[in-house]
Amino acid sequence: LFHAVLRGLDDVYADKLRRMAGFLDAVLGSSGVLPLFGDDDSGRFFHPYGPRDQFGLATLATCGAFLNHPEWIRDPRYLDEQAAWWIGPERLSPVTHGLVTQARPQPVSARFADSGLIVMAAKGIQLIADAGSFGPGSAGHSHADTLSLVVRLDKEQILIDPGTYTYVADPVWRDRFRGTAAHNTVRIDGLDQAIPGGPFAW
C-alpha cells in the first residue's frame, strides 16, 4: 500500500521488500500454504483475501507485479484478491502480456536468521524448522515450539503446526494449542518447554 500511494521506491526500501517477498515465497513453498507458526494475530471473522491458508499468495503476486518478479505471480487471479486498483494498469500490463507463464525456479534451502526459520526444499518436499529464539520479553505471541517441524509434499500437509485456536475464550485450549505437546518437537519428562504465565506470557 505504501508503494501504491507513493508510486516509487528508493533502492534500499525496494531491496527490503524483495527480501521479504523472497522469504514469503520460500515459506509458501510449492504447496502455497502458510504454516501457522505462533499466534495468528489477524483477529478477523471475515477476510477479503479468501481462505486463511492462502493469504500469502495474493501478497506475493502483488510483490511480483510491483517488483517485476513474474515468478512470484503463481496465478494472475491472486492479483484480483489484492485489489488491482492498488497496483494500477501500468503494473498489471506485464501480467496481461504473458510474463506470468515464466517457470518458477526450483526451490532452494535457506536459513532466515531474523525469523529463526530454516526452509529445506527439494523436488516438491519442504521441511520448515523453527530454530529461533523463544521471543523477546514475555514472548506473549510465541508458542513453546522450539525445534518444531512442518513437512509438506507439494500440497499434501504431512506434519502441521496446530495454529492458535483461541486467545481468551478458553484458557485450557489456549494453552493446549500453544503448548509443546501440540507441536512436532521434543518434550522432556512430558513437560512443556515453558510455563504459561497467562494468555499472552510465558
Side-chain angles (χ1 to χ4, degrees):
L1 179 57
F2 174 81
H3 175 60
V5 171
L6 294 186
R7 295 294 174 186
L9 294 174
D10 62 48
D11 291 342
V12 173
Y13 192 80
D15 180 63
K16 288 181 180 179
L17 284 182
R18 282 190 190 90
R19 287 186 284 123
M20 291 167 67
F23 168 79
L24 181 59
D25 184 49
V27 171
L28 286 170
S30 59
S31 74
V33 176
L34 280 173
L36 300 174
F37 290 121
D39 279 356
D40 175 4
D41 204 18
S42 58
R44 295 178 176 90
F45 175 72
F46 168 77
H47 200 293
Y49 300 159
R52 161 66 180 82
D53 63 357
Q54 297 178 21
F55 286 179
L57 294 169
T59 300
L60 189 62
T62 302
C63 290
F66 277 151
L67 302 170
N68 298 315
H69 280 266
E71 71 276 15
W72 290 340
I73 306 171
R74 301 187 183 199
D75 189 318
R77 290 173 293 183
Y78 294 133
L79 291 166
D80 299 334
E81 297 174 17
Q82 192 74 339
W85 52 270
W86 280 13
I87 302 169
E90 73 281 1
R91 287 293 183 176
L92 286 175
S93 59
V95 178
T96 59
H97 286 87
L99 290 181
V100 294
T101 60
Q102 178 175 328
R104 282 178 41 75
Q106 287 295 314
V108 296
S109 299
R111 176 177 177 257
F112 299 96
D114 290 341
S115 71
L117 296 182
I118 297 171
V119 178
M120 293 186 279
K123 298 180 180 179
I125 301 170
Q126 183 193 48
L127 181 149
I128 305 176
D130 182 352
S133 62
F134 198 69
S138 62
H141 285 287
S142 296
H143 289 190
D145 61 350
T146 300
L147 302 182
S148 65
L149 304 175
V150 168
V151 180
R152 293 97 77 85
L153 175 60
D154 294 321
K155 292 187 179 296
E156 182 180 358
Q157 308 294 310
I158 298 171
L159 295 176
I160 65 167
D161 189 283
T164 304
Y165 184 68
T166 185
Y167 276 167
V168 293
D170 188 324
V172 172
W173 282 103
R174 166 69 171 153
D175 287 342
R176 283 184 183 174
F177 268 73
R178 63 185 186 141
T180 306
H183 296 82
N184 305 304
T185 188
V186 175
R187 291 197 302 168
I188 298 175
D189 295 334
L191 300 175
D192 279 350
Q193 296 173 352
I195 300 169
F200 298 103
W202 290 96

